[in-house]
C-alpha cells in the first residue's frame, strides 16, 4: 500500500496548493522601475480574477524636478478590466514628469488578499 499512498499524498498536496494560490502581479505597465513617456493609464495584470469591490490602487507622485517630496495622491479612477484580472488606473489629468509609486491591494475570487507596490518614472 505504501506505493499507492505516496502518489495519493502528493496529489492531495498539489490540490491544496492550487486551492491556496494567491493572486500575483504578472505584468504591470509601466513596468516597475521603468521610465516612460506620459502614460495614459497604469495597468496591473494579476494571475487570478479579482473581486472589484475589494481591489484597488493608489497612484502617488513621490518626486519631480530631481527632488523627492512626501507622496501626493494623484486623482485617478481605478477599475477592473473586462478580463477580470487587470486593474486599470486612469489619472484624471496627464501625469507630469516625475517619480510615481503605485500601492495596490487585491482580493482574488477565492478571497485571498495580497498587496504590494512599485515605482516608475515619467520623463
Ligand atoms: Cu511632484
Amino acid at each position: 500500500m505504501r506505493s499507492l499512498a505516496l502518489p495519493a499524498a502528493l496529489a492531495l498536496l498539489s490540490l491544496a496548493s492550487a486551492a491556496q494560490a494567491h493572486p500575483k502581479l504578472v505584468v504591470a505597465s509601466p513596468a516597475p522601475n521603468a521610465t516612460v513617456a506620459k502614460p495614459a493609464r497604469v495597468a496591473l495584470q494579476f494571475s487570478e480574477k479579482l473581486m472589484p469591490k475589494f481591489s484597488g490602487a493608489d497612484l502617488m507622485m513621490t518626486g519631480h524636478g530631481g527632488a523627492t517630496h512626501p507622496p501626493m495622491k494623484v486623482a485617478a479612477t481605478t477599475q477592473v478590466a473586462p478580463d477580470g484580472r487587470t486593474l486599470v488606473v486612469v489619472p484624471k489629468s496627464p501625469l507630469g514628469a516625475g517619480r510615481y509609486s503605485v500601492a495596490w491591494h487585491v482580493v482574488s475570487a477565492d478571497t485571498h488578499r495580497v498587496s504590494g507596490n512599485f515605482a516608475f518614472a515619467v520623463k
Side-chain angles (χ1 to χ4, degrees), residues 2-3 12 17 46 99-100 103 116 121:
R2 278 185 101 192
S3 59
L12 272 177
S17 61
F46 290 88
R99 284 188 302 285
Y100 294 85

Side-chain angles (χ1 to χ4, degrees), residues 61 63-64 69 72:
M61 189 187 216
H64 66 267
H69 55 64
M72 289 166 48

Side-chain angles (χ1 to χ4, degrees), residues 35-121:
T35 297
V36 298
K38 296 179 174 35
R41 55 185 223 153
V42 180
L44 300 91
Q45 191 200 315
F46 290 88
S47 57
E48 291 177 44
K49 296 229 176 188
L50 308 175
M51 296 177 75
K53 223 174 153 179
F54 305 109
S55 302
D58 285 327
L59 177 59
M60 326 248 226
M61 189 187 216
T62 58
H64 66 267
T68 57
H69 55 64
M72 289 166 48
K73 200 167 176 202
V74 175
T77 57
T78 303
Q79 286 187 323
V80 174
D83 72 356
R85 58 184 69 202
T86 304
L87 263 186
V88 179
V89 184
V90 179
K92 291 232 158 82
S93 40
L95 297 178
R99 284 188 302 285
Y100 294 85
S101 72
V102 182
W104 55 265
H105 63 276
V106 298
V107 175
S108 55
D110 60 5
T111 73
H112 291 126
R113 188 181 198 280
V114 177
S115 61
N117 63 82
F118 65 90
F120 67 90

